[in-house]
Amino acid sequence: MSSSQSSDKPTQKPRHVSLSYNNADSQASALRLILTLFPDWEYTEGKIEFVRFTDGITNTLLKAIKKRPGFTEEQIDDEAVLLRAYGKGTEVLIDRDRETTSHSLLAQYKLAPPLLARFQNGLLYRFIQGQVCTPADLTRETIWRGVARRLGEWHAILPTVSTQEATTAEDSDTNLSLSLTSSRSIPSAKEINAITPGKPVPNLWTVMQKWIFALPKERQDILQKELERCVKELGDTPGLRKDGLVFGHCDLLSGNVIIHPPALTTSLPAVSTVSFIDYEYATPSPAAFDLANHFAEWGGFECDYSVLPTRRRRRAFIHEYLTSYHQHLPQPLQHLNSVEAEIDRLFTEVDMFRGIPGFYWGIWALIQATISQIDFDYGAYAEVRLGEYWAWRGEEDGAREREGREMSERERRWAKE
């Protein structure tokens, strides 16, 4: 499917529930939402319970279950519902309309659970049975090969622009309430999208542009110059499609990877089947960014660089990924260059993008430090992630060597064979 091709499956808007989730009144507000969707749960036999998940650092995530008498755990999970309430102020970071459209699109391609409803400050969707990955799980070969296969499938079959969202910088007039300081004017969509003229919008670069515009001026100026530098150097990277973009997940941390339970009649598989969840950052992006970002997540929120994939492991992952990508293309390429040559090219592109995840999440964390009420030191996290970007820059432009500084731990690990 070409990058300009739109989905032939029209996305359907989910039901809208005019209620909100209230963290201070969690049980009651969550119950009202569930009973609006499934009124029979109130009158049929079996207790309604809520299980709180704590893996994320942005949203509230609850699993609603109906414990019907005589049902097995698997049967109960079959009708379980996930309630995800947005973190306070996260509209600065995330386009919730876009997220809803992305989830609906993914569900139509069987790459996401059915989206049941949208409420005032969140979503309700079906639960995926399985085990949530840990950062350590991502380093296991059975898991990383499964992730590579699923990501190749994503990038092969999903259109980068759906029919309802084929907009350009010139015709988009979205009202973007994203300034963190009341004294500053809010930039227009045209100003945001101008960072990548001619590309589908939104995309990885316009998302970062939107975030930078939201920052205080003392942080904005230098990061704006760096964004423009990155776009100039990497914005036209060839990638896998005509315009260099795929529909990226852009947040493949361990908690967003679900390992499916193996079939009861078989031995443990050589490669695990996995699914991806949480699509709030999903957007057209270079495939190299989605891959480099996932590799960065092997270290978890603690940024343990000692476990990042080596050159050999990254190459094996990319080989697995490209095999899956070509298997899932709706129209297989007729004139494919040698497999090794294609692996070499994408391997090089991922290497070129290795500093961009730090830039992306560093900007994100600077905003979270201002808006979030979650008990997490976003300010310190921002400096760690931006430090990854500056360390990469120091290697790329030779500044680190000229100044006689020691190579960073992350860069040393990345260069390890």
Side-chain angles (χ1 to χ4, degrees), residues 331-344:
Q331 295 177 338
L333 299 179
Q334 299 298 315
H335 304 290
L336 181 64
N337 294 327
S338 77
V339 173
E340 289 301 312
E342 189 177 34
I343 293 171
D344 287 343

Side-chain angles (χ1 to χ4, degrees), residues 102-251:
S102 296
H103 192 137
S104 298
L105 179 69
L106 286 157
Q108 288 169 18
Y109 281 91
K110 310 299 184 186
L111 292 173
L115 180 56
L116 303 175
R118 182 177 181 180
F119 55 97
Q120 298 289 67
N121 60 336
L123 299 173
L124 292 160
Y125 50 94
R126 283 294 180 193
F127 174 69
I128 296 179
Q129 294 188 45
Q131 173 191 336
V132 178
C133 271
T134 65
D137 288 331
L138 295 181
T139 68
R140 292 164 43 202
E141 185 168 355
T142 57
I143 304 302
W144 65 251
R145 288 194 182 277
V147 171
R149 290 181 182 184
R150 181 66 78 185
L151 190 58
E153 181 181 4
W154 259 61
H155 290 174
I157 71 174
L158 292 171
T160 53
V161 183
S162 67
T163 304
Q164 290 80 359
E165 294 192 77
T167 60
T168 65
E170 288 70 31
D171 64 23
S172 178
D173 60 355
T174 307
N175 180 23
L176 298 161
S177 55
L178 52 78
S179 180
L180 296 178
T181 57
S182 57
S183 62
R184 291 180 48 230
S185 61
I186 298 171
S188 67
K190 184 174 181 178
E191 290 175 287
I192 291 170
N193 298 337
I195 193 72
T196 54
K199 297 278 189 183
V201 295
N203 59 60
L204 172 72
W205 309 110
T206 65
V207 167
M208 286 192 282
Q209 179 65 90
K210 176 182 173 181
W211 293 352
I212 289 173
F213 277 150
L215 292 172
K217 187 167 178 58
E218 60 268 21
R219 295 306 294 257
Q220 184 183 124
D221 289 350
I222 189 168
L223 293 174
Q224 179 65 36
K225 290 177 182 177
E226 290 302 315
L227 176 63
E228 292 170 3
R229 185 181 179 187
C230 290
V231 172
K232 182 178 180 180
E233 295 173 356
L234 301 172
D236 290 321
T237 303
L240 296 175
R241 291 184 173 181
K242 188 169 64 176
D243 60 12
L245 302 176
V246 296
F247 188 86
H249 185 284
C250 299
D251 190 23

Side-chain angles (χ1 to χ4, degrees), residues 1 8 25-26 38 43 62 67 178 185 191 215 241 249 262 304 306-307 318 329 361 373 379 381 412-413:
M1 182 181 292
D8 58 0
D25 190 21
S26 178
F38 301 109
Y43 306 108
L62 301 176
K67 302 196 79 171
L178 52 78
S185 61
E191 290 175 287
L215 292 172
R241 291 184 173 181
H249 185 284
D304 180 2
S306 68
V307 300
I318 289 169
L329 281 175
W361 293 113
Q373 297 179 320
Y381 185 72
R412 287 198 308 272
R413 177 67 182 183

Side-chain angles (χ1 to χ4, degrees), residues 12-21 32-33 36-37 86 96-97 100 104 115-124:
Q12 298 178 347
K13 288 188 177 181
R15 175 181 176 182
H16 187 269
V17 177
S18 298
L19 295 171
S20 297
Y21 169 80
R32 282 193 292 271
L33 285 163
T36 300
L37 206 59
Y86 309 141
R96 296 301 182 182
D97 291 333
T100 303
S104 298
L115 180 56
L116 303 175
R118 182 177 181 180
F119 55 97
Q120 298 289 67
N121 60 336
L123 299 173
L124 292 160

